[in-house]
């Protein structure tokens, strides 16, 4: 994949949250120099994610699951059925420890991780997230409460969701490591809702998420909800993770 | 791809990854505008900020006394990113002093490293990577065994200096290199040093904050990046300060303190934040107790926890490391997001009821909860002092346990202590003798497995929907194996007392 020709930005801007004037000289001489693309150039055309098919990120490269995405696959809208969970869904429930022998960077085992996504939920969840003998879920959007992904730092958690075909999680808030792992791997969009959507949506409702407008529409109930903007993390996930993003934007050499 | 093999790192020094040589050059020649001369560990451990003479002109705003007061965490990250100051919320590239990984996340991290940096790429520093098989060791699960083999192959190929291998699974003692639970092994082997930055592919990496260092858990992808680049983009967290004063009653342990705090601020109360523990009580704690305190900051969502290094820290490190280190401390004027104060002398033994570590209750309030088993082990509650504490309760009672009591020393060193150290006041008996007299299970081979319910054949895994009092760190549904199992998190005192009665029990019943 010729990622070099697909740089998102020909004119990178310096990225830093520190804007103290006294620091700018240091920034230009120190080795810590980060280029970020001008995100306003992000394509805005809409590709609707089908209800039940695989994540296009995964299907781009059948050999290596963490495929390097290209701008042409930009998704700003997700459409599908949702699976609703509660507060404090920890990573043991997303992928129980007995399945951590599966190595996410191994393609076959990556697929297998998908089959166990959310299998650790208590039996009070009567609907299975992934049917037995399936690797993929029919729910491409997970809706949760606060502190989603707390607990263990296992990257297997966002990977299992992504491998199962989840495009986005929408929760009130996230535990830090899960959020970071989601962005670093580019497996799922960890989106934040403004309110407790998890109490107003039901598993099986048809949902559309419009990323650029930070909006979630529940077609089953006819209600719309505001999401918090994904910000700088968006382009990283879109690219397929930090490595792909860094290559696309010229931060690190292309392969 | 091939061109990546020998130089996985961007050749352009202005790019965000710099190789060692560039970094050294820049650190010593062009960074004089930084206010605090840095201790660049990459170059020499001997160069410390307090000693370094002023070498060249500086900006007026950066000379003299501290202009911007910082917390410990901010200072550690500032130094590791070669900046004079940092504020919460800033993203900064941090040079990593130690990267730890284990058998569960190591193979995936290695896979990412190879995929991204090239099949023939070399790690950034073979002496700064510590690889500790500890999660799924004593199992016949072939994939788990294979994962340890992957670690071994990688360590051989990369000539990793610190690899604590195990080959003979039938007898852990036949493996002199094998340590056991990574967070305890890191401390015992001298990899935890004040002022440094330690990252690990495990959420409980925060344990090492007990040494006054910045330590936090990361995922495979970030670890794969660090393996090749030796640095990582981190956001500077704001700090919550916990001031714990008062004499600690003899029936309390650090586990009670952290359960108190988590109960207070909830499982997300410290999300994205640093937790700094100070006060006379914290100063009086041993290193192992400080580790318990920092171990569970992640259960409050914390990014890291820190205890200022002091004479207790330096004493512990005396025979463990010969590397120079430089502790840093929060400035008096440092800004804390909020401060919490506790009078420890008034606290009572606590538990966290199912299914959340913040579901706090007094142990005595749960005296009617019948239990099926007790587990003493893990990075939280499987250290030498944890077993000493349990033995103290058994000794004081003189009775036998009423439920199966599983003991899993965290490391080989802890196991030897359990079998070798005399318990004070016992007339020279070891923990192992006291445990045997109390009817506990024989202390098992050091590993993490049961705490997180690893492979089905893991010793002490909860395969039935039972009720367990455990010295571990999490009680989410299914955490120790069975989804309908119920876990009460408690101190080793409370766990031992509960084993003796078959109910959740306040240890004061035996200790007073």
């Amino acid at each position: 994949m010729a990622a070099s020709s697909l740089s998102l930005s020909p004119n990178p801007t310096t990225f830093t949250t520190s804007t103290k004037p006294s620091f700018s000289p240091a920034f230009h001489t120190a080795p810590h120099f980060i280029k970020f693309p001008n995100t306003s150039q992000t394509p805005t055309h809409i590709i609707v994610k089908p209800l039940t098919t695989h994540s296009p990120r995964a299907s781009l490269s059948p050999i290596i699951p963490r495929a390097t995405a290209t701008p042409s696959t930009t998704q700003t809208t997700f459409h599908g059925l949702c699976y609703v969970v509660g507060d404090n869904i920890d990573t043991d429930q997303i992928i129980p420890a007995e399945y951590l022998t599966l190595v996410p960077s191994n393609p076959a085992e990556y697929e297998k991780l998908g089959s166990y996504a959310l299998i650790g939920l208590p039996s009070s969840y009567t609907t299975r997230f992934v049917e037995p003998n399936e690797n993929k879920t029919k729910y491409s959007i997970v809706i949760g409460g606060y502190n989603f992904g707390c607990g263990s730092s296992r990257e297997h958690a966002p990977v299992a969701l992504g491998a199962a075909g989840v495009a986005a999680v929408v929760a009130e808030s996230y535990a830090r490591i899960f959020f970071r792992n989601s962005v670093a791997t580019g497996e799922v969009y960890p989106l934040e809702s403004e309110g407790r959507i998890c109490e107003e949506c039901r598993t099986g409702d048809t949902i559309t998420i419009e990323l650029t407008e930070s909006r979630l529409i529940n077609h089953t109930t006819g209600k719309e909800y505001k999401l918090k903007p994904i910000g700088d993390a968006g382009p990283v996930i879109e690219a397929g993770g930090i490595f792909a993003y860094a290559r696309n934007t010229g931060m690190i050499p292309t392969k | 791809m091939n061109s990546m093999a020998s130089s996985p790192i961007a050749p352009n020094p202005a790019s965000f990854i710099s190789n060692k040589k560039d970094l050294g050059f820049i650190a010593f020649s062009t960074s004089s505008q930084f206010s605090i001369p840095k201790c660049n560990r990459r170059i020499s451990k001997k160069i410390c900020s307090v000693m370094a003479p002023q070498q060249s002109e500086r900006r007026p705003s950066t000379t003299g006394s501290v202009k911007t007061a910082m917390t410990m965490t901010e200072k550690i990250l500032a130094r590791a990113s070669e900046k004079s100051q940092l504020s919460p919320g800033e993203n900064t590239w941090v040079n990593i002093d130690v990267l730890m990984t284990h058998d569960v996340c190591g193979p995936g991290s290695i896979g990412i490293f190879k995929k991204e940096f090239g099949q023939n790429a070399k790690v950034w520093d073979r002496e700064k990577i510590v690889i500790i098989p500890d999660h799924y060791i004593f199992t016949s699960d072939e994939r788990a065994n294979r994962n340890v083999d992957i670690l071994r192959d990688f360590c051989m190929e990369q000539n990793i200096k610190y690899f604590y291998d195990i080959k003979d699974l039938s007898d852990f003692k036949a493996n002199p290199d094998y340590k056991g639970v990574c967070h305890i092994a890191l401390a015992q082997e001298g990899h935890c040093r004040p002022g440094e930055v330690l990252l690990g592919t495990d959420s409980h990496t925060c344990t090492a904050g007990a040494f006054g260092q910045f330590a936090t858990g990361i995922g495979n992808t970030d670890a794969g990046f660090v393996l090749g680049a030796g640095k990582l983009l981190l956001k500077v967290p704001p700090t919550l300060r916990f001031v714990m004063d008062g004499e600690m009653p003899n029936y309390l342990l650090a586990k009670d303190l952290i359960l108190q705090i988590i109960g207070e601020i909830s499982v997300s109360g410290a999300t994205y934040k640093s937790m700094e523990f100070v006060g006379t009580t914290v100063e009086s704690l041993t290193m192992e107790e400080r580790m318990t305190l920092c171990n569970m900051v992640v259960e409050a969502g914390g990014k890291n926890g820190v205890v200022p290094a002091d004479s207790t820290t330096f004493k512990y490190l005396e025979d463990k490391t010969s590397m120079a280190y430089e502790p840093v401390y929060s400035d008096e004027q440092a800004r804390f997001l909020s401060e919490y104060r506790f009078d420890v002398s008034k606290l009572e033994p606590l538990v966290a009821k199912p299914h959340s570590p913040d579901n706090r209750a007094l142990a005595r309030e749960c005296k009617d909860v019948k239990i099926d088993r007790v587990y003493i082990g893990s990075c939280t509650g499987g250290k030498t002092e944890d077993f000493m504490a349990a033995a103290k309760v058994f000794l004081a009672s003189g009775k036998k346990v009423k439920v199966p009591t599983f003991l899993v020393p965290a490391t080989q060193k802890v196991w030897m202590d359990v079998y070798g150290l005399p318990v004070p006041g016992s007339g020279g008996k070891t923990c192992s003798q006291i445990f045997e007299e109390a009817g506990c299970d024989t202390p098992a081979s050091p590993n993490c497995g049961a705490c997180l319910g690893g492979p089905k054949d893991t010793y002490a895994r909860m395969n039935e929907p039972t009720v367990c009092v455990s010295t571990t760190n999490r009680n989410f549904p299914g955490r120790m194996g069975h989804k309908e199992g119920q876990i009460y998190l408690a101190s080793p005192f409370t766990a031992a007392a509960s084993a003796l009665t078959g109910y959740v029990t306040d240890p004061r019943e035996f200790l007073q």
Side-chain angles (χ1 to χ4, degrees):
Chain A
M1 195 172 298
S4 59
S5 63
L6 299 169
S7 172
L8 283 172
S9 169
N11 191 12
T13 52
T14 304
F15 165 75
T16 169
T17 58
S18 163
T19 50
K20 292 185 186 70
S22 63
F23 269 86
S24 39
F27 253 94
H28 293 293
T29 51
H32 317 296
F33 190 79
I34 314 157
K35 296 172 190 169
F36 260 58
N38 182 345
T39 50
S40 66
Q41 294 180 3
T42 304
T44 51
H45 65 272
I46 290 171
I47 295 171
V48 174
K49 180 159 179 161
L51 284 172
T52 55
T53 53
H54 308 175
S55 157
R57 290 191 305 284
S59 60
L60 262 176
S61 165
I63 312 253
I64 299 159
R66 309 263 176 96
T68 308
T70 67
S72 64
T73 63
T74 298
Q75 280 202 313
T76 54
T77 296
F78 304 114
H79 183 76
L81 303 181
C82 72
Y83 190 87
V84 182
V85 295
D87 296 322
N88 296 317
I89 299 300
D90 76 291
T91 53
D92 281 275
Q93 294 179 69
I94 298 170
I95 182 78
E98 62 184 291
Y99 306 114
L100 299 186
T101 56
L102 294 163
V103 174
S105 58
N106 175 324
E109 295 178 20
Y110 170 93
E111 290 298 322
K112 197 76 188 149
L113 274 168
S115 71
Y116 299 121
L118 287 173
I119 204 170
L121 288 172
S123 50
S124 54
Y125 288 85
T126 48
T127 307
R128 278 188 70 124
F129 183 65
V130 183
E131 292 299 328
N133 305 317
E134 295 282 337
N135 282 344
K136 302 288 174 187
T137 180
K138 61 179 175 181
Y139 306 100
S140 59
I141 293 160
V142 173
I143 295 178
Y146 58 78
N147 204 26
F148 189 93
C150 60
S152 160
S153 60
R154 62 190 67 159
E155 196 165 284
H156 308 65
V159 167
L161 293 174
V166 174
V169 179
V170 180
E172 263 184 284
S173 65
Y174 291 89
R176 181 185 64 83
I177 307 178
F178 179 88
F179 185 92
R180 180 158 184 142
N181 286 343
S182 299
V183 177
T185 57
E187 288 288 344
V188 293
Y189 280 86
L191 303 171
E192 286 184 319
S193 59
E194 294 275 7
R196 284 188 73 70
I197 297 181
C198 65
E199 285 178 359
E200 299 194 21
C201 295
R202 286 163 184 268
T203 293
D205 286 357
T206 304
I207 302 289
T208 297
I209 293 171
E210 289 175 352
L211 214 53
T212 44
E213 290 158 51
S214 298
R215 189 166 59 153
L216 182 146
I217 303 152
N218 184 330
H219 299 286
T220 309
T221 63
K223 287 189 181 174
E224 278 192 28
Y225 304 91
K226 191 125 186 64
L227 303 175
K228 293 177 185 167
I230 185 74
D232 287 344
V236 182
I237 302 164
E238 185 186 303
I242 48 167
F243 281 102
Y245 177 79
R247 289 210 167 83
N248 286 355
T249 53
M251 281 196 228
I252 57 175
T254 50
K255 290 201 262 190
Chain B
M1 192 75 168
N2 282 339
S3 65
M4 291 280 298
S6 56
S7 64
I9 288 159
N12 179 356
S15 115
F16 82 131
I17 315 172
S18 165
N19 67 28
K20 216 175 187 176
K21 210 170 169 183
D22 289 333
L23 187 63
F25 175 74
I26 288 164
F28 283 96
S29 63
T30 64
S31 63
S32 56
Q33 65 269 40
F34 292 122
S35 73
I36 303 170
K38 296 155 297 294
C39 173
N40 193 324
R41 290 170 186 281
R42 222 163 259 261
I43 306 303
S44 166
K45 291 280 166 193
K46 304 280 184 237
I47 302 170
C48 293
S49 65
V50 285
M51 319 274 240
Q54 297 194 0
Q55 291 167 355
S56 57
E57 65 168 284
R58 294 182 182 179
R59 303 176 157 270
S61 66
T62 61
T63 55
S65 60
V66 176
K67 295 298 181 197
T68 304
M70 288 191 284
T71 66
M72 267 178 82
T73 292
E74 290 155 18
K75 276 191 189 174
I76 296 168
L77 293 178
R79 196 168 59 189
S81 55
E82 299 170 57
K83 289 184 179 164
S84 58
Q85 62 184 58
L86 281 174
S87 302
E90 278 186 63
N91 291 300
T92 188
W93 286 96
V94 177
N95 295 321
I96 308 307
D97 293 296
V98 177
L99 174 72
M100 185 282 299
T101 190
H102 51 51
D103 54 298
V104 163
C105 294
S109 304
I110 291 165
I112 288 166
F113 167 73
K114 296 231 164 200
K115 177 191 158 201
E116 303 291 352
F117 289 93
Q119 289 300 319
N120 301 316
K122 286 284 175 198
V123 297
W124 106 96
D125 190 334
R126 59 171 282 269
E127 297 192 5
K128 291 186 173 180
I129 294 160
V130 182
I131 299 190
I132 309 181
D134 66 347
H135 272 57
Y136 306 158
I137 307 303
F138 307 101
T139 171
S140 57
D141 185 297
E142 285 179 12
R143 219 158 38 212
N145 298 157
R146 175 208 64 179
N147 288 349
V148 179
D149 295 340
I150 292 174
L151 295 183
R152 185 179 306 112
D153 292 345
F154 183 72
C155 289
M156 294 304 121
E157 170 197 305
Q158 300 280 337
N159 198 20
I160 299 293
K161 187 167 178 184
Y162 301 106
F163 172 49
Y164 300 119
D165 196 10
I166 181 162
K167 284 177 183 159
D168 183 352
L169 303 185
S170 65
D171 177 13
F172 76 91
K173 296 188 289 297
N175 304 269
D177 290 343
Y178 181 65
K179 301 302 171 199
V181 177
C182 58
H183 310 296
I184 310 308
L186 279 172
Q188 291 176 336
E189 298 306 311
H191 298 296
C192 301
R193 295 174 293 260
E196 293 193 355
V197 174
L198 168 79
L199 298 183
T201 58
D202 190 291
S203 60
H204 290 111
T205 303
C206 54
T207 308
F211 290 83
Q213 66 177 138
F214 178 88
T216 195
I218 57 172
N220 295 359
T221 301
D222 281 339
F225 186 90
V226 176
L227 279 172
K231 56 176 66 179
L232 193 63
L233 183 63
L234 292 176
K235 190 185 222 170
V236 181
T239 301
L240 301 176
R241 195 184 214 200
F242 297 85
V243 186
M244 314 198 87
D245 288 320
E247 191 177 343
M248 188 132 121
N250 69 350
Y251 43 82
L252 291 186
L253 291 167
K255 182 66 170 282
D256 297 296
L257 305 186
I258 191 64
L259 289 178
Q260 169 72 18
I261 289 171
I262 298 167
E264 204 68 30
I265 68 173
S266 92
V267 286
S268 58
T271 299
Y272 283 101
K273 300 179 183 79
S274 173
M275 297 168 75
E276 182 169 326
F277 303 102
V278 295
T280 56
T281 313
V282 178
E283 288 162 20
S284 74
L285 295 178
T286 62
M287 284 317 296
E288 289 196 359
E289 285 283 86
R290 293 177 190 186
M291 288 164 71
T292 306
L293 203 54
C294 290
N295 173 272
M296 286 185 71
V297 302
V298 69
E299 267 59 74
K303 184 167 193 165
N304 72 313
V306 276
V307 173
D310 61 11
S311 56
T312 305
T313 320
F314 307 141
K315 185 98 184 76
Y316 182 94
L317 289 170
E318 257 172 23
D319 60 346
K320 297 194 173 59
T321 183
S322 56
M323 288 175 82
Y325 54 83
E326 190 193 345
V328 296
Y329 302 94
S330 290
D331 293 319
E332 231 167 79
Q333 302 300 319
R335 287 157 301 170
F336 296 95
L337 202 59
S338 47
E339 186 172 282
Y340 299 82
R341 287 186 171 269
F342 297 90
D343 179 353
V344 173
S345 67
K346 293 196 170 68
L347 299 183
E348 296 186 64
L350 296 169
V351 296
K353 297 186 287 182
H355 295 281
S356 183
D358 63 359
N359 197 6
R360 181 183 63 189
L362 296 175
R364 61 183 172 83
E365 289 174 340
C366 301
K367 63 182 171 52
D368 296 328
V369 175
K370 198 172 181 320
I371 63 168
D372 302 301
R373 54 163 59 195
V374 164
Y375 182 82
I376 300 176
S378 84
C379 55
T380 315
K383 304 180 292 304
T384 299
E385 289 172 18
D386 297 317
F387 288 101
M388 284 285 188
K392 190 176 166 189
V393 174
F394 292 137
L395 189 68
S397 82
K399 294 180 182 149
K400 284 192 175 294
V401 296
K402 291 199 170 143
V403 292
T405 302
F406 303 101
L407 312 164
V408 183
T411 63
Q412 181 145 212
K413 169 84 170 66
V414 174
W415 191 93
M416 285 164 63
D417 288 345
V418 164
Y419 275 85
L421 288 183
V423 176
S426 70
K429 285 183 192 170
T430 62
C431 288
S432 60
Q433 287 170 318
I434 292 167
F435 294 148
E436 191 178 348
E437 286 170 15
C440 302
D441 248 33
T442 307
S445 306
N447 78 98
C448 306
C451 168
L452 72 163
K456 289 262 183 338
D457 61 350
T458 300
Y459 171 77
R461 184 184 193 270
M462 273 167 73
N463 290 324
E464 302 294 327
T466 50
V467 182
C468 180
V469 171
S470 178
T471 65
T472 56
N473 40 56
R474 291 185 179 135
N475 57 352
F476 301 123
R479 172 68 180 180
M480 294 183 79
H482 200 285
K483 270 197 221 183
E484 317 302 329
Q486 295 186 44
I487 304 161
Y488 287 77
L489 302 177
S491 77
F493 279 160
T494 303
S498 304
L500 289 166
T501 62
Y503 291 85
V504 174
T505 301
D506 188 317
R508 282 175 289 189
E509 289 199 14
F510 299 102
L511 291 175
Q512 282 186 338

